Amino acid sequence: MKYPYSQKRAKYGNKKTVVDGITFDSIKESLVYQDLKILEKQGIIQNLELQKKFAIVPKIKGVKGSRTRFYIADFVFQEIKNGEITKVIVDVKSPITRKNPVYTLKKQLVQWQFPHYEFREM
């Protein structure tokens, strides 16, 4: 018997998906991962990382409840074009999430603190 409230509905209606033993938050994110794995095998990108943490706000000593705040990128890799290497952050977001004020703030903080990375949304 299936209980109607046994599983919590995803905030934006996304469906978790498992690929290569890795659980992704959405089907779209798992498809981007599969595409990136192909590009990595072709030598177009290298050093693919999943769920890489970037510290965007440090802990403030002496402030109660203060802690380091992180932005977690879906994917980070190095792209090789014309012999040049570009560091890339990829975040898979729905159009609704892209408008979320918390997400846009974190995105801007990452872009400001890590200008040597190219930021891409998919």
Side-chain angles (χ1 to χ4, degrees):
M1 172 181 257
K2 206 172 188 185
Y3 296 97
Y5 302 105
S6 61
Q7 286 189 343
K8 189 177 175 185
R9 185 184 167 280
K11 188 175 182 180
Y12 296 110
N14 52 304
K15 291 185 172 69
K16 290 195 181 271
T17 308
V18 178
V19 176
D20 294 340
I22 303 165
T23 302
F24 293 94
D25 287 337
S26 68
I27 294 169
K28 183 178 177 183
E29 187 177 344
S30 71
L31 293 172
V32 170
Y33 167 75
Q34 291 173 65
D35 289 344
L36 292 173
K37 288 300 284 181
I38 290 168
L39 293 174
E40 189 174 43
K41 284 182 183 178
Q42 294 173 343
I44 297 169
I45 68 167
Q46 61 187 16
N47 302 325
L48 178 62
E49 296 180 66
L50 285 66
Q51 302 296 302
K52 182 174 172 103
K53 280 180 152 183
F54 290 87
I56 53 174
V57 179
K59 178 180 179 177
I60 302 168
K61 291 182 182 184
V63 176
K64 188 177 180 178
S66 176
R67 61 185 172 95
T68 302
R69 305 294 173 152
F70 294 95
Y71 168 82
I72 302 172
D74 291 330
F75 306 102
V76 175
F77 57 86
Q78 293 176 333
E79 184 175 55
I80 305 158
K81 267 189 194 169
N82 302 323
E84 290 190 31
I85 296 175
T86 304
K87 291 181 178 181
V88 180
I89 294 171
V90 172
D91 218 341
V92 180
K93 295 291 181 228
S94 70
I96 294 168
T97 308
R98 287 180 191 180
K99 295 175 185 175
N100 180 303
V102 174
Y103 168 70
T104 57
L105 176 62
K106 286 182 172 186
K107 176 184 158 186
Q108 285 183 321
L109 285 168
V110 167
Q111 291 173 314
W112 174 60
Q113 287 190 301
F114 302 94
H116 53 284
Y117 280 87
E118 184 178 309
F119 193 95
R120 298 179 190 166
E121 289 178 318
M122 295 189 174

